[in-house]
Amino acid sequence: MKLVTIMVKPFRVDALKAALAAHGVRGLTVIETSGHGRQGGHIEVYRGAEYRVELIPKLKVEVLVDDEDLAEVLEVITASVRTGKTGDGKVWVSPVDSVLRIRTGERDADAL
């Protein structure tokens, strides 16, 4: 099993959720966060004064997937959130040794 972590702009999350649901992914976690990548922030104007915003609002989405489904899930993620502009986000994959559904005691693939 793998934990897929997606850092994405907030306005892209609905498209991501819909695409993952259509692909059969049943659960996900969304965490509000902020940060910056290559864009390094941006300049905003408030009441005529410019100021630099270095940390941009992002959402961190986490999804558990079976190893066999990983390649397809990564394609679904990429297709649903890519705008082609700086700041589209990042996706990384981490190994997961075991998963336990607390309510039923199911483990690993059965717990997804």
Side-chain angles (χ1 to χ4, degrees), residues 32-108:
E32 290 184 21
T33 187
S34 61
H36 70 81
R38 290 185 177 175
Q39 80 273 20
H42 62 274
I43 303 293
E44 288 193 8
V45 177
Y46 180 72
R47 294 190 175 182
E50 288 187 358
Y51 64 98
R52 182 159 187 75
V53 176
E54 293 184 9
L55 298 176
I56 298 167
K58 299 280 186 175
L59 292 178
K60 179 179 179 182
V61 180
E62 295 178 331
V63 179
L64 285 171
V65 298
D66 263 334
D67 291 335
E68 304 87 48
D69 298 331
L70 180 62
E72 286 181 49
V73 168
L74 291 175
E75 288 179 23
V76 167
I77 291 167
T78 303
S80 66
V81 299
R82 178 182 286 152
T83 65
K85 298 178 182 172
T86 302
D88 274 351
K90 290 256 190 302
V91 178
W92 60 89
V93 179
S94 306
V96 174
D97 294 331
S98 184
V99 175
L100 169 70
R101 178 174 284 134
I102 295 171
R103 178 179 55 85
T104 62
E106 294 170 307
R107 291 186 172 271
D108 301 328

